Amino acid sequence: MAITLMKEDRIKKVVGSIMNDYTNATGIACIYVDIKGKERSQKYNFTKFCQVMRSIPAFRSKCSQCDLVGGLETIKKQGCCPYRCHAGLVDFAVPIVHENQLHGFIVSGQMSSSDMRFLYIQDPTPWEEDSYALQYFKGVPQYRYEEIMSASRVLNTLTTCYFPFSDRMLNMAHEAAPIGEDKHPELARIRRPEIRKTVEYIKGHLNCNLSLRIIAEEVFLSESYLSKLFKQEMNMNLMQYINQCRVQEAEKVLRSSKSSVDAIGRQFGYHRTSYFCKIFKQFTGETPHAYRKKFDIR
């Protein structure tokens, strides 16, 4: 037991040093929490708003939940992924892994951002009804999307210098996901975590504008490096894969819906029906109309 406590103390000391350097360099708030979301360190550069929120019991429990869920989401997605907490501020978490054991997470952020790409990780709480909390919200610092993503990369790079996130830990995290939670079984067959994250992002955004630049930003890789890795792993280029996924989903809609071919094409990002039909035929050998006719849906 004494040995375990000594190891935990050493880990906390290193984590404290990381957070101190990170906060001094960036001015961004952070804290260390354990695998249950419980605070294990002092509050580094916390905003007045977040200090108040964590002093109110009803909100403090939600803060802990967001810290925990945000950390687990980082492990599941195998990369730092900023999110909105229950109060609407943007945070991100980096796992602390030592000797293939997860000890907790460094959670950073407390940033205000109007960018809609940051999604809520928990249901929003009505904190605006608390006048004490509301008066401090205006002092929360505003950040742009690019600044937040850069900050997350800095903390991730600094932390992994001391606590490498091992392949075994990645596999354990993937295997630990509840049965039925993984909507894309093919992810288990992809070796590189960067490409797993790329595929997961593509699958979840088939109706959005997808480009090499946008996806590279999401997975923290250069466009040329992502393109090279993707081709090596998937044996096709990125746009071919995106079209393949879109056609597969379009097939499902054509089999079960009476929506027009034009509407279905637009649903999956094709703004010209002729181009949608061309891509669909490349992958299936027939037009959407011919495909639908086999299922008697007109």
Side-chain angles (χ1 to χ4, degrees):
M1 184 66 177
I3 295 176
T4 301
L5 287 174
M6 287 176 62
K7 183 172 71 174
E8 287 293 332
D9 287 342
R10 289 197 300 271
I11 290 172
K12 285 181 65 177
K13 185 176 181 179
V14 175
V15 169
S17 178
I18 292 170
M19 292 192 295
N20 188 60
D21 288 342
Y22 168 78
T23 301
N24 284 340
T26 65
I28 300 172
C30 62
I31 193 169
Y32 177 47
V33 301
D34 64 18
I35 57 175
K36 294 183 179 179
K38 182 180 179 181
E39 297 177 5
R40 296 295 307 278
S41 75
Q42 69 182 68
K43 298 175 177 67
Y44 287 79
N45 207 35
F46 261 41
T47 63
K48 286 286 187 181
F49 174 75
C50 288
Q51 291 181 43
V52 169
M53 291 294 284
R54 290 182 185 243
S55 71
I56 301 171
F59 295 145
R60 182 170 61 243
S61 61
K62 292 292 289 185
C63 292
S64 294
Q65 289 175 25
C66 288
D67 291 344
L68 174 59
V69 176
L72 294 176
E73 192 72 6
T74 296
I75 292 178
K76 188 175 77 172
K77 293 188 175 180
Q78 301 174 10
C80 201
C81 43
Y83 56 87
R84 287 189 191 279
C85 71
H86 69 98
L89 299 185
V90 179
D91 292 331
F92 45 85
V94 176
I96 300 301
V97 178
H98 181 64
E99 295 179 350
N100 287 317
Q101 180 181 350
L102 177 64
H103 291 264
F105 309 93
I106 295 177
V107 182
S108 178
Q110 301 181 14
M111 306 169 174
S112 177
S113 174
S114 59
D115 198 297
M116 300 309 293
R117 282 174 282 187
F118 300 119
L119 305 178
Y120 278 91
I121 202 165
Q122 296 274 281
D123 291 336
T125 50
W127 60 265
E128 297 96 335
E129 297 174 5
D130 188 292
S131 58
Y132 190 46
L134 187 59
Q135 66 177 311
Y136 287 108
F137 185 75
K138 293 181 180 179
V140 174
Q142 293 264 351
Y143 284 83
R144 295 181 293 108
Y145 177 85
E146 294 78 13
E147 293 172 329
I148 294 173
M149 300 308 293
S150 292
S152 70
R153 289 193 289 268
V154 168
L155 181 58
N156 184 64
T157 300
L158 184 59
T159 303
T160 52
C161 287
Y162 295 91
F163 300 102
F165 200 16
S166 69
D167 288 340
R168 180 168 176 258
M169 195 68 200
L170 288 173
N171 291 334
M172 288 169 63
H174 186 71
E175 292 166 3
I179 295 174
E181 185 173 309
D182 188 356
K183 299 178 182 178
H184 313 303
E186 70 179 294
L187 291 174
R189 299 191 293 270
I190 300 174
R191 294 179 297 111
R192 292 184 174 91
E194 306 98 320
I195 304 306
R196 278 198 293 269
K197 186 176 181 182
T198 298
V199 168
E200 187 175 44
Y201 182 81
I202 290 171
K203 294 280 191 179
H205 297 80
L206 290 176
N207 61 337
C208 300
N209 177 29
L210 290 174
S211 69
L212 178 59
R213 180 186 62 79
I214 290 171
I215 297 171
E217 286 180 357
E218 291 293 333
V219 299
F220 313 133
L221 296 176
S222 69
E223 294 178 36
S224 59
Y225 188 54
L226 172 59
S227 182
K228 178 183 176 181
L229 279 187
F230 195 91
K231 184 72 178 292
Q232 289 176 348
E233 182 77 44
M234 306 300 289
N235 294 317
M236 66 178 76
N237 66 42
L238 194 68
M239 190 50 65
Q240 287 174 329
Y241 182 76
I242 291 171
N243 283 327
Q244 174 182 281
C245 291
R246 283 174 166 165
V247 168
Q248 288 172 346
E249 291 303 308
E251 286 180 289
K252 296 177 185 177
V253 179
L254 285 165
R255 291 197 299 265
S256 60
S257 164
K258 293 185 179 180
S259 298
S260 68
V261 169
D262 178 67
I264 294 172
R266 289 180 179 277
Q267 179 181 338
F268 292 104
Y270 299 105
H271 299 294
R272 288 190 293 114
T273 305
S274 60
Y275 184 63
F276 170 53
C277 292
K278 176 183 177 181
I279 295 298
F280 191 92
K281 189 171 183 178
Q282 283 180 0
F283 284 92
T284 66
E286 54 191 342
T287 66
H289 297 87
Y291 181 87
R292 164 171 275 176
K293 191 173 182 180
K294 295 189 299 186
F295 297 92
D296 292 325
I297 297 177
R298 299 178 178 84

